Amino acid sequence: MHIDLTGTRGHRDAIYRQLRAAILDGRIRPGEALPPTRELAQRLAVSRTTVSAAYDRLTAEGFLAGRVGAGTFVTASALTRRPAPSAVSGVRPLPEWDALPSPPAPFAPAPEFDFRPGVPDLTRFPFDTWRRLVTQRLRAGQADLMTYGDPQGLASLRAEIARHIGVSRDVRASADQVVVTAGAQQTTDLVGRVLLRAGDIAAVEDPGYPPPRLVLAARGVRVAPVPVDASGIVVSAIPPGTRLVYVTPSHQYPLGLSMSLERRLELLDWAERTDAVVVEDDYDTEFRYTGRPLEPLHSLDSRGRVVYVGSFSKVLSPALRLGFLIAPPSLVPALVKARYLTDWHAPNVEQAALAAFMAEGGFARHVRRMRKVYRARHELLSGLLAASFADFLTPLPSSAGLHLSATSSSDLSSLVRRARQDGVRLYSLGDFAVGERRHGLVFGYGAVAAERIGPGLARLRALADEGAA
Ligand SMILES: Cc1ncc(COP(=O)(O)O)c(C=O)c1O
């Protein structure tokens, strides 16, 4: 414990105040012994009476207690004397941050029936394999994994990602075009940093996935919500001057539709004409249940206008915070600098474990296994919606991912509210809208086990009937 008496006159008071502050802020903890008065007096070059007087005052105030023959200790109750931290502070963030929504509460207790979209079945995370892969990396004594890494991402992981999307999505890219990110979400931030200034215009789908819109808005970008029809984003409604558009062509979030080929070509043509960039978020197409997926925008693009985005959040776990982007070579150096300046790089050990998982084929096997699980849930959910909810819900065509949506002619927000109160977590389409609020519901089936889907929908049906009665 450092006590500084330089420049102080009243040594007793200074010792008292500094010890008290150290006890209150936890630098000296309850049960810890203070140095004997003689020793401290010697160290500080003051008289022993001065130190004893400071100790006596702290003892009288209940911070210290002496035990005969053992010394002087901080009492167990000392910390309860800590004043409550001041709730007022003169420091305020910029007002626009007050307008941004707070993050969802982490670790909220799972409801009885969890139809929240965008979450995989975490009970099926390959825990044993992951533990083995991480332990192997740590056991190998790979000191190079423990130093600062490559902001672009571990070379072995980038190579595996390039191979994986080449096989699964026919996206042709070299490992040099891959940047490992902290989830898909970071892509919008990085791309926004290197391409947009405050006041520039970006366009997002409406309804759409909220984080990209918020990430850009938080940086002062003017974000235009653009309507989505049955073929995808309405390209003719993208405002003039737009520099970047963010889309989910394989599985529109939240409607679940796939962007038509004509619309894909129209969007690429628009980007070429207006010198804009398209961010293609392909967040969950590893899970496709019927039909052949349409070619990604990235594969249709011959002019290097598309940044392709993938995530490991749906296939493995959102807690890994690992995703990737595939960028035109002209953008890569700036994106790597942006990643370096933001948070340097993703954790090396997790990247190395993931690269090994992909290289040994475990990743592809896990995707195949989970695709079967989710396909069964998708079929069950679609069947039950058609059989029991046809009076007010019209499911939208969807053949991929972890959620499906259904439209309705009436506002269902009161049903969603009552369902949540009654243990059924679900969302309305309006939750994802900025402009026109389409009526309907979004059903995620990643977090709900197959055997819970029927009972959950039965609960919802009963609530809907009660509301109608
Ligand atoms: C449309 C969309 N993109 C991306 C993600 C994944 O984001 P991240 O990789 O940042 O976890 C989600 C998750 O819900 C999503 O719904």
Side-chain angles (χ1 to χ4, degrees):
M1 168 68 207
H2 175 75
I3 294 178
D4 184 7
L5 297 182
T6 38
T8 58
R9 286 251 193 89
H11 288 163
R12 190 192 59 187
D13 271 5
I15 297 169
Y16 160 80
R17 269 188 286 101
Q18 291 182 44
L19 284 175
R20 186 174 181 278
I23 294 169
L24 285 175
D25 66 23
R27 276 175 291 149
I28 323 182
R29 280 167 302 192
E32 272 188 58
L34 261 64
T37 46
R38 184 192 305 276
E39 186 187 311
L40 189 58
Q42 254 173 15
R43 190 147 41 100
L44 299 175
V46 297
S47 78
R48 193 173 165 199
T49 343
T50 304
V51 175
S52 295
Y55 278 25
D56 288 347
R57 186 164 167 201
L58 289 165
T59 306
E61 289 176 2
F63 288 104
L64 300 179
R67 269 185 250 145
V68 182
T72 307
F73 295 84
V74 177
T75 60
S77 63
L79 283 188
T80 60
R81 287 150 193 276
R82 184 185 290 194
S86 166
V88 245
S89 160
V91 187
R92 299 282 313 141
L94 294 170
E96 45 271 40
W97 285 89
D98 290 333
L100 289 166
S102 302
F107 309 121
E112 218 178 326
F113 304 103
D114 197 350
F115 289 103
R116 128 185 88 133
V119 194
D121 187 341
L122 299 169
T123 65
R124 295 180 189 245
F125 179 82
F127 286 101
D128 292 339
T129 310
W130 193 254
R131 190 164 50 241
R132 170 177 61 78
L133 291 165
V134 169
T135 310
Q136 278 170 357
R137 311 278 89 56
L138 294 175
R139 247 196 225 127
Q142 290 185 26
D144 53 338
L145 288 181
M146 290 302 170
T147 184
Y148 290 110
D150 182 350
Q152 191 168 356
L154 213 61
S156 57
L157 179 58
R158 287 190 283 113
E160 286 303 328
I161 289 171
R163 198 174 58 84
H164 162 63
I165 50 149
V167 173
S168 70
R169 297 295 286 128
D170 202 22
V171 168
R172 282 171 296 272
S174 74
D176 294 341
Q177 286 173 264
V178 178
V179 179
V180 176
T181 59
Q185 185 160 324
Q186 196 183 31
T187 296
T188 329
D189 186 51
L190 297 178
V191 172
R193 274 170 200 268
V194 306
L195 285 172
L196 304 176
R197 295 211 165 91
D200 281 350
I201 307 173
V204 296
E205 296 168 324
D206 187 18
Y209 183 54
R213 172 169 58 82
L214 299 170
V215 165
L216 294 170
R219 305 190 58 253
V221 172
R222 285 185 287 158
V223 188
V226 174
V228 176
D229 67 16
S231 303
I233 192 166
V234 178
V235 175
S236 56
I238 299 176
T242 297
R243 301 272 303 117
L244 177 150
V245 60
Y246 163 87
V247 284
T248 48
S250 294
H251 189 227
Q252 205 278 333
Y253 194 96
L255 298 175
L257 304 161
S258 167
M259 190 186 288
S260 70
L261 183 60
E262 293 73 28
R263 195 59 66 80
R264 286 173 198 239
L265 296 172
E266 189 188 346
L267 182 60
L268 289 173
D269 199 44
W270 165 86
E272 178 61 21
R273 264 189 293 110
T274 61
D275 191 23
V277 167
V278 178
V279 177
E280 174 179 34
D281 183 356
D282 210 15
Y283 61 104
D284 69 1
T285 42
E286 281 85 358
F287 304 126
R288 169 156 293 277
Y289 313 120
T290 50
R292 237 182 66 80
L294 284 175
E295 270 188 276
L297 289 169
H298 188 279
S299 311
L300 295 166
D301 167 36
S302 54
R303 291 146 181 167
R305 300 240 147 239
V306 175
V307 176
Y308 178 92
V309 184
S311 172
F312 293 102
S313 292
K314 314 293 160 184
V315 175
L316 284 170
S317 156
L320 293 175
R321 303 312 305 136
L322 284 173
F324 59 92
L325 63 84
I326 313 281
S330 54
L331 278 184
V332 171
L335 289 167
V336 172
K337 286 180 203 170
R339 174 85 210 237
Y340 165 56
L341 294 177
T342 306
D343 63 345
W344 209 318
H345 62 86
N348 291 335
V349 173
E350 279 75 5
Q351 290 189 79
L354 181 54
F357 191 38
M358 295 174 92
E360 68 184 31
F363 180 80
R365 275 195 300 281
H366 182 68
V367 170
R368 280 199 296 278
R369 200 174 312 128
M370 294 313 296
R371 190 183 294 134
K372 260 191 219 149
V373 169
Y374 296 137
R375 175 187 282 128
R377 294 183 195 179
H378 179 271
E379 276 171 18
L380 181 62
L381 186 57
S382 311
L384 286 170
L385 288 179
S388 311
F389 289 83
D391 55 329
F392 72 96
L393 287 181
T394 310
L396 291 166
S398 149
S399 52
L402 297 176
H403 74 271
L404 61 85
S405 292
T407 55
S408 153
S409 57
S410 58
D411 182 9
L412 300 177
S413 41
S414 128
L415 176 62
V416 168
R417 223 176 8 260
R418 283 180 292 123
R420 286 192 192 169
Q421 281 160 4
D422 212 16
V424 184
R425 173 159 24 174
L426 105 163
Y427 288 81
S428 64
L429 278 178
D431 293 329
F432 303 95
V434 181
E436 185 208 350
R437 297 178 90 75
R438 231 171 286 198
H439 301 315
L441 300 176
V442 182
F443 294 90
Y445 44 87
V448 63
E451 61 276 14
R452 311 288 294 154
I453 291 177
L457 290 186
R459 173 88 52 94
L460 184 67
R461 181 70 252 182
L463 286 167
D465 292 341
E466 259 170 43

